[in-house]
Amino acid sequence: MLLLETTLAGAGIGFFCAASFWAVSSLVRQHPPERSELGVSLLLALGCAPLLAVLVLHGANAGRVPLFNTFDALTVYAVFLTLAALCLLTRRRTQGIFAILAPYVTLLLLAGFPTVGVTTGPVPHQVPGTVLLLHLLAAFTSYALFSLASVLALAYLIQDRNFKHRRFGVIFERLPALETLDHLMFRVVGYAFVLLTISLALGVYLVHESGNGPGWIADPKVVATLVTWALYAMLVHMRARAGRHGTRLALITLAGLAFVLFSMVGVHLIAHSVHGFVQIGATPQ
Amino acid sequence: MKTNLSVLGINFRTAPVELRERASFTAANVPEVLDRLGTEFPGGEAVLLSTCNRTELYTAGIDVEAKKTALIRMLLKGAAPHEFTDAEQHFYAKKDSIVAEHLLAVVAGLDSMVVGETEILGQVKQAYQLAEQAQISGKTLAPLFQNAFRIAKRVHTETDLCRGRVSVSSIAVELAEKLFEDLGNKAVMIVGAGETAELALKSLTERGARDVLVLNRSLERASALAERYGGRAIPYDLLDDYLPRADIVISSTSAPHCVIREDSVRKAMTVRRGLPLLLIDIAVPRDIETAAGALENVYLYDIDDLQRVADENLAKRRDAVDGAWKIVREGAAEVTSVYEGADLREMMRKLDEFARDASDTVLQRMLAKEKMAALPEDTREEVRAIAQKVVAKLLAEPREGLKRAAKNGRWDEYARVVSDLFRFNEQPGADPDDPAQKKGPS
């Protein structure tokens, strides 16, 4: 089983590597944009399929929601992020952002690859399965969408530099208009913020149901997530209520990625959490 | 290629603008010319392309060389008789396989005044549609134009020939499009009423910009310009008040000092709360203080910036010309082979017909003779079969030669020789055995 999971994960990451190479090289080699767009999208979609298969196998094998190991967590995050970007592509010509997104996702998948098939500690038995699933889905979708907003923010800042320094090359051509990036950033952050809020609410319910008591508020993961939530609440306020736009908002959105990554994975590397069944480096099956 | 495919025309290289004006047609009066062509040349096909830089009449089934004067007269409507003689020297006429290469180069933008411009593709498409609507474009011109559109698309996607704008006004518009998602809800402010600024405004309004504010020292001139583009004239001294409302500012005054100060822009940006502001300064001396360009979310370009981009784009286009010509030549060869395929089939049919007629005529005469009359019918059939085989054997090598010529691009040369040898171009009814009609050395 481990061999099959490793092979499928390797194949998925292979497609992501190829997509990254194509997306980046298209900025240098000047392929026709339509061909690059189709090729990169296809490779990313093909990469998602074996990765999802690994999750299904791992879940079936462990008999639970497959979100309790670093590779699984990063894979769910990467696949959600990729699918969100592909959905965006069907609505707007945003293919230029794949030159940023594909390498980023690939690096995360490569980082998680050593823990393919690793089993971690048990889920506390008091936690209701369906609510836990919804809690996790909402959390990971919000992480993916916040990260997509950060990718759009980085694209915004690159495009801003292009405008300021009069660099009107291939990157300038491929990236969307500044205003498009600004609109998309805010909309994506809006959806992500709602989902993170739902995830937090479900988390509170789960804590109550599992009988962990009031100590949950001091849990490092909860604290990190609340800080992330507060940051994005400020961002949403700045845009929706104060009507702010432009590079400063893009910088804050980009900085938000660090908070997302820290609350998703980083916190487990430095502190013990009630979410401790997400562990790094447990024994392979 | 024996399709009587021709093009007769003038362009900016061969004719002065006065003559091009004479031979210029709008979409509204092209059908009238096509109707006249249809009446005067029944069975012929035609497409009339008329732009500010060229007027070309593409035809099939019309002997352009013989009818050149009549066609030019038709194109130069309203010209005095003495003008035709002068005008004729400015017209070029091309025929057969050269027409395909010419049209492909035109549609791809290789023959344009500004190399790589893409507007011509739409103009040729419109010309072809008008000909189709007038029912004067048929099966001969269809493959030529359809392939031309296909090849033009290839040139646009596979080369840099059409990438990047090359005029100051169009670059200003391109920057606006790359900065803003939708120009429809953007306010354009024109400061001064210079020609380039107006060109840029024209392009912006064509791309959807609706809210136009015009400021000029002379409110009268501002009003006139605003009226032309459905905008509003604003008193010049209200510039600072209106600046925060503008998303795109194009300044082209003749003022000897800056008219838009960094302070004004800074104040405007406070009101705009980070919404991007595009400042295009095409005045010399400059109208907008350079420091304004350093402000966050402000993008300032002066005439030198725009000209630099134009020069770079033009250089890229020139670099792409060779690649584009390669695609055009390949495309022209493909188009030619389409016609040659049809011509080859027609030539083979004529050769078969010739062989059948020749053997039938000779056998008929031979078998009619007295000593052959006694031959039984089955023997006669055998003789007929042998005669047909001999003729077919004799023609086998020429047939192969023609096929090879069609593949090797020597079709025109071979087709002419075979047509001359077998007299395929002669009027029907001419008796090949009639010594009186025989030509050449006796």
Side-chain angles (χ1 to χ4, degrees):
Chain A
M1 186 58 81
L2 182 62
L3 181 66
L4 180 61
E5 285 182 19
T6 311
T7 310
L8 283 170
I13 294 171
F15 280 120
F16 273 85
C17 287
S20 305
F21 179 76
W22 196 346
V24 174
S25 68
S26 69
L27 299 180
V28 183
R29 288 190 188 175
Q30 305 194 0
H31 295 297
E34 295 80 10
R35 202 184 298 171
S36 299
E37 181 186 326
L38 186 68
V40 172
S41 311
L42 199 64
L43 284 171
L44 288 173
L46 284 171
C48 288
L51 292 173
L52 285 170
V54 175
L55 292 176
V56 171
L57 282 173
H58 199 205
N61 200 31
R64 64 187 195 196
V65 180
L67 268 172
F68 301 99
N69 113 350
T70 309
F71 177 78
D72 291 348
L74 287 177
T75 299
V76 170
Y77 167 74
V79 169
F80 280 17
L81 175 53
T82 307
L83 293 177
L86 289 172
C87 286
L88 202 63
L89 189 62
T90 60
R91 292 175 157 267
R92 305 283 181 94
R93 292 190 63 81
T94 50
Q95 73 278 9
I97 65 164
F98 284 117
I100 304 166
L101 184 135
Y104 166 70
V105 168
T106 307
L107 283 175
L108 284 181
L109 287 170
L110 285 169
F113 188 63
T115 61
V116 178
V118 162
T119 330
T120 57
V123 183
H125 68 275
Q126 304 94 325
V127 172
T130 315
V131 182
L132 177 67
L133 179 65
L134 289 174
H135 167 66
L136 289 169
L137 276 177
F140 274 87
T141 312
S142 71
Y143 290 153
L145 291 178
F146 280 135
S147 306
L148 179 59
S150 300
V151 170
L152 291 166
L154 183 57
Y156 185 99
L157 294 169
I158 293 171
Q159 199 68 311
D160 172 72
R161 290 288 88 188
N162 286 335
F163 268 108
K164 286 279 187 191
H165 296 284
R166 289 126 177 88
R167 286 193 295 249
F168 304 125
V170 186
I171 298 174
F172 176 77
E173 272 180 34
R174 297 283 163 90
L175 288 177
L178 267 187
E179 195 185 34
T180 308
L181 291 165
D182 187 60
H183 281 175
L184 290 176
M185 245 191 297
F186 177 65
R187 291 191 75 171
V188 171
V189 164
Y191 289 130
F193 184 71
V194 170
L195 285 168
L196 187 62
T197 309
I198 291 171
S199 176
L200 281 171
L202 291 171
V204 171
Y205 173 77
L206 287 170
V207 167
H208 174 72
E209 288 296 303
S210 61
N212 274 358
W216 64 274
I217 195 73
D219 180 71
K221 180 142 181 131
V222 175
V223 172
T225 309
L226 284 173
V227 170
T228 307
W229 184 88
L231 173 88
Y232 283 105
M234 181 188 73
L235 195 69
V236 169
H237 169 79
M238 282 174 76
R239 178 62 187 260
R241 305 287 297 173
R244 303 292 312 183
H245 295 264
T247 46
R248 280 191 201 175
L249 234 64
L251 275 168
I252 298 172
T253 311
L254 180 61
L257 181 65
F259 287 80
V260 166
L261 287 178
F262 181 74
S263 60
M264 184 176 72
V265 182
V267 74
H268 300 290
L269 299 173
I270 58 168
H272 176 75
S273 163
V274 293
H275 297 77
F277 40 80
V278 182
Q279 289 173 353
I280 313 285
T283 12
Q285 288 173 317
Chain B
M1 197 160 58
K2 193 175 163 300
T3 51
N4 270 339
L5 210 59
S6 309
V7 57
L8 175 72
I10 47 172
N11 64 26
F12 64 94
R13 288 196 190 89
T14 67
V17 67
E18 296 79 20
L19 186 61
R20 298 206 306 273
E21 280 169 356
R22 277 285 166 81
S24 161
F25 298 89
T26 63
N29 51 27
V30 164
E32 187 190 327
V33 181
L34 294 175
D35 280 349
R36 277 186 64 194
L37 278 164
T39 313
E40 291 187 27
F41 303 98
E45 295 180 30
V47 172
L48 177 59
L49 169 68
S50 181
T51 72
C52 51
N53 284 328
R54 67 182 64 244
T55 296
E56 289 178 340
L57 181 66
Y58 292 86
T59 63
I62 298 175
D63 190 347
V64 168
E65 275 180 5
K67 305 287 180 189
K68 192 175 175 183
T69 310
L71 289 168
I72 290 174
R73 200 176 290 268
M74 201 179 286
L75 293 177
L76 293 173
K77 73 271 181 192
H82 71 274
E83 288 176 312
F84 295 124
T85 330
D86 298 337
E88 204 163 331
Q89 60 180 323
H90 296 287
F91 276 82
Y92 46 82
K94 299 176 182 183
K95 56 187 284 193
D96 297 334
S97 55
I98 302 165
V99 178
E101 190 173 295
H102 176 82
L103 177 64
L104 264 57
V106 167
V107 181
L110 279 165
D111 200 39
S112 297
M113 190 180 270
V114 178
V115 176
E117 59 106 353
T118 50
E119 207 179 339
I120 186 71
L121 176 59
Q123 289 165 331
V124 177
K125 278 184 177 172
Q126 190 192 28
Y128 181 62
Q129 276 169 3
L130 288 171
E132 277 192 321
Q133 281 161 15
Q135 296 180 336
I136 194 169
S137 171
K139 63 180 180 182
T140 310
L141 287 179
L144 175 66
F145 279 83
Q146 278 153 10
N147 276 290
F149 301 144
R150 184 177 58 82
I151 296 299
K153 199 177 170 193
R154 253 191 82 192
V155 170
H156 293 177
T157 53
E158 292 179 24
T159 73
D160 283 341
L161 189 76
C162 307
R163 300 242 164 90
R165 311 279 173 88
V166 289
S167 75
V168 166
S169 58
S170 61
I171 288 166
V173 174
E174 189 177 33
L175 287 171
E177 283 181 323
K178 207 61 192 166
L179 192 59
F180 299 111
E181 188 176 24
D182 176 16
L183 293 179
N185 55 11
K186 295 292 164 289
V188 183
M189 178 187 273
I190 300 291
V191 186
E195 191 187 340
T196 315
E198 187 177 346
L199 278 174
L201 175 61
K202 184 171 181 275
S203 303
L204 286 166
T205 49
E206 279 169 2
R207 282 165 175 77
R210 293 281 167 272
D211 191 4
V212 177
L213 308 168
V214 183
L215 290 92
N216 197 51
R217 290 257 177 227
S218 152
L219 193 60
E220 199 181 330
R221 281 193 72 188
S223 300
L225 183 61
E227 201 176 318
R228 280 202 291 281
Y229 296 96
R232 284 178 292 159
I234 308 290
Y236 194 76
D237 50 357
L238 295 182
L239 196 153
D240 284 2
D241 295 340
Y242 276 86
L243 195 56
R245 299 190 193 181
D247 299 294
I248 303 160
V249 177
I250 302 173
S251 190
S252 67
T253 73
S254 50
H257 52 77
C258 285
V259 295
I260 301 176
R261 303 240 168 238
E262 189 253 7
D263 260 6
S264 309
V265 180
R266 186 188 294 278
K267 282 177 193 158
M269 290 312 287
T270 312
V271 179
R272 291 178 65 78
R273 293 169 180 258
L275 275 173
L277 173 63
L278 178 63
L279 300 173
I280 305 282
D281 184 355
I282 44 184
V284 178
R286 286 176 292 179
D287 281 344
I288 305 173
E289 219 166 50
T290 318
L295 294 172
E296 207 175 291
N297 304 312
V298 174
Y299 306 98
L300 168 63
Y301 301 92
D302 62 29
I303 187 78
D304 279 1
D305 294 326
L306 301 180
Q307 194 55 54
R308 201 174 303 119
V309 177
D311 292 345
E312 282 170 12
N313 287 343
L314 203 57
K316 277 184 204 162
R317 286 187 179 194
R318 287 196 189 111
D319 289 345
V321 162
D322 287 347
W325 266 112
K326 190 169 172 276
I327 294 173
V328 161
R329 289 200 183 97
E330 283 171 14
E334 286 170 28
V335 175
T336 306
S337 68
V338 170
Y339 287 109
E340 285 174 353
D343 286 355
L344 182 65
R345 285 192 294 278
E346 176 65 10
M347 184 71 82
M348 294 303 177
R349 189 191 62 74
K350 284 182 177 174
L351 278 174
D352 289 342
E353 200 177 314
F354 173 84
R356 199 173 51 248
D357 287 353
S359 63
D360 284 355
T361 311
V362 173
L363 280 172
Q364 215 170 357
R365 285 182 187 170
M366 295 303 292
L367 294 174
K369 288 182 181 172
E370 199 176 333
K371 59 183 175 184
M372 304 289 275
L375 284 176
E377 191 52 37
D378 54 343
T379 313
R380 283 168 174 252
E381 277 307 312
E382 270 183 42
V383 171
R384 276 196 197 97
I386 290 166
Q388 277 167 6
K389 277 180 185 169
V390 168
V391 176
K393 186 79 180 165
L394 280 171
L395 288 177
E397 203 48 44
R399 288 171 70 105
E400 284 307 309
L402 281 168
K403 285 180 190 168
R404 278 197 302 276
K407 278 183 192 163
N408 299 337
R410 299 182 66 189
W411 170 255
D412 282 350
E413 181 190 339
Y414 273 58
R416 195 167 49 247
V417 170
V418 171
S419 295
D420 285 350
L421 284 173
F422 291 94
R423 291 193 279 182
F424 287 152
N425 292 332
E426 286 182 6
Q427 293 299 315
D431 182 1
D433 288 336
D434 183 356
Q437 292 180 9
K438 281 186 181 171
K439 293 172 187 170
S442 53

